[in-house]
């Protein structure tokens, strides 16, 4: 069920199911070109890779692999299902809905109100001092039987300014209250979303375990069948062996970039994996 | 202290990392929330979280609770006497009716006396 692929590197074009490339070809560039369709100067015409391709898209001796996740995704590439799938799909839909609700609500930043309130308070303290000082001057004028007209005016002006500032502070505090109220509703939604996400993460863990369980025997057999494999515990095999076994089990749409010498020929590797390969 | 509450998985993860890395500045941690010390460094960590995760992080400043300043005597007495009631099954509404104890509705409508108003810097 392998599909021919087309690889263009500069002016060179190769077409087929097994493409043997010179050692000068950069395997990570090839892998990226498979994922993104194009990675200058390489372009590859092939099916879109599935999630399992992240784990086995480039197989080489220095690689690492998360066996359980890779194996579970291999199961998904074969459309295996688990008892958790329906609930995960329901949660996906609910989370999408909540996101839409959150986006529609918009985020009312309270930063401006906080800045305004903090500034108002500082100014208010200064204005209060100014009122006290003006009052002191008026008192002094009276005590010395001096003309009080100027001092009275100065005191009145200071009091007016203070009262304006207090009004502004009260208004800003009210706006901040309002913003806090809105944000509380928003946080209720976010809290709900977080609960759903946690639930979904647990279900995904269950699903992963179930997929691994379903493929357990097949995976052990595949690890045993890897040329040169000496692993006794299939979950403790060298990453390259694990990756080959996972790729063999998976139903891959996109080609695998292979850089290892476990097979007699690129064709033998492609047959064993049952998938198109780019051999470097 | 600063009460820091997170509302997303990534914000919760960042909070946990900060709590692990700066134990000395964390007064208490509960799941997706924590109390930071009211120092500039505590504020620095809280602001970093808010910068990174925006409104998925809520920061509130707590203040010590002094029931003798913030709560009327009638409410304090009602709490003490209700917890020392003779009949454990009796609901508060019945316990309070016909006495001087405040009703649930009265208490719900009365805000606590506060040394400052909302937005206190």
């Amino acid at each position: 069920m392998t599909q021919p692929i087309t690889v263009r590197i500069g002016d060179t074009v190769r077409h087929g199911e097994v493409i043997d490339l010179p050692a000068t070809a950069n395997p990570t560039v090839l892998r990226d070109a498979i994922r993104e369709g194009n990675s200058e100067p390489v372009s590859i015409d092939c099916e879109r890779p599935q999630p399992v391709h992240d784990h086995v898209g480039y197989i080489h001796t220095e690689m690492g692999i998360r066996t359980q996740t890779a194996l579970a995704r291999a199961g998904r590439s074969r459309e295996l299902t688990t008892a958790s799938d329906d609930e995960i799909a329901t949660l996906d839909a609910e989370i999408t809905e909540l996101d839409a609700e959150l986006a529609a609500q918009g985020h009312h930043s309270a930063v401006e109100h906080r800045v305004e309130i903090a500034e108002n308070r500082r100014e208010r303290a200064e204005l209060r001092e100014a009122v006290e000082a003006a009052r002191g001057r008026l008192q002094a004028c009276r005590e010395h039987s001096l003309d009080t007209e100027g001092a009275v005016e100065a005191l009145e002006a200071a009091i007016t300014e203070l009262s304006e500032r207090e009004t502004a502070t009260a208004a800003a505090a009210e706006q901040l209250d309002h913003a806090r109220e809105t944000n509380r509703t928003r946080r209720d939604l976010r809290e709900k979303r977080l609960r759903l996400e946690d639930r979904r993460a647990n279900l995904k863990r269950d699903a992963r375990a179930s997929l691994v369980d379903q493929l357990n025997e097949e995976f052990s057999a595949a690890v045993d069948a890897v040329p040169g494999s000496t692993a006794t515990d299939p979950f403790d095999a060298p990453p390259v062996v694990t990756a080959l076994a996972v790729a063999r089990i998976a139903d891959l749409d996109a080609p695998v970039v292979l850089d290892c010498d476990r097979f007699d020929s690129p064709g033998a590797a492609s047959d064993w994996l049952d998938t198109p390969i780019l051999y470097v | 202290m600063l009460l820091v509450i997170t509302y997303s998985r990534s914000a919760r993860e960042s909070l946990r990392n900060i709590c692990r890395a700066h134990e000395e500045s964390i007064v208490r941690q509960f799941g997706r929330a924590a109390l930071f010390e009211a120092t500039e460094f505590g504020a620095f960590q809280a602001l970093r979280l808010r910068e990174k995760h925006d409104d998925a992080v809520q920061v509130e400043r707590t203040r010590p609770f002094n029931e003798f300043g913030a709560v009327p005597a009638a409410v304090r007495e009602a709490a003490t006497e209700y917890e020392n009631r003779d009949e454990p099954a009796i609901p508060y509404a019945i316990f309070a009716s016909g006495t001087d104890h405040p009703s649930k509705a009265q208490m719900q409508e009365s805000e606590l006396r506060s040394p400052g108003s909302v937005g206190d810097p």
Side-chain angles (χ1 to χ4, degrees), chain B residues 1 15 17 24-25 40 44 49 60 101 114 119:
Chain B
M1 293 175 287
L15 176 70
N17 288 340
E24 72 290 345
S25 303
E40 287 183 0
F44 169 71
L49 276 169
E60 301 287 340
H101 295 312
S114 153

Side-chain angles (χ1 to χ4, degrees), chain A residues 107 111 114 117-118 121 173 176-177 180 183 186-188 190-191 193-194 197-199 201 205, chain B residues 5-10 12 32 50 53-60 116-121:
Chain A
H107 170 37
V111 175
R114 291 200 297 270
I117 288 171
R121 284 185 189 215
L176 179 62
D177 260 351
R180 286 171 63 94
N183 285 339
R186 190 176 166 78
R187 282 179 174 132
D188 287 345
R190 293 199 79 127
E191 189 169 68
R193 189 186 193 283
L194 184 58
E197 268 191 301
D198 281 343
R199 172 88 187 119
R205 214 164 315 164
Chain B
I5 309 170
T6 58
Y7 291 85
S8 73
R9 287 169 72 85
S10 58
R12 180 175 62 191
R32 61 190 183 86
R50 201 157 65 183
H53 301 284
D54 197 27
D55 71 329
V57 175
Q58 178 181 4
V59 182
E60 301 287 340
S117 57
V118 170
D120 218 6

Side-chain angles (χ1 to χ4, degrees), chain B residues 61-77:
Chain B
R61 185 174 186 172
T62 68
R63 53 167 75 97
F65 174 58
N66 183 343
E67 69 275 37
F68 299 100
V71 187
V75 174
R76 285 184 271 128
E77 282 157 17

Side-chain angles (χ1 to χ4, degrees), chain A residues 114-133:
Chain A
R114 291 200 297 270
V115 170
E116 198 182 341
I117 288 171
E119 275 173 6
N120 275 338
R121 284 185 189 215
R122 258 192 299 278
E123 285 175 29
R124 198 173 56 180
E126 284 167 20
L127 289 171
R128 276 185 186 149
E129 278 172 29
V131 168
E132 282 317 303

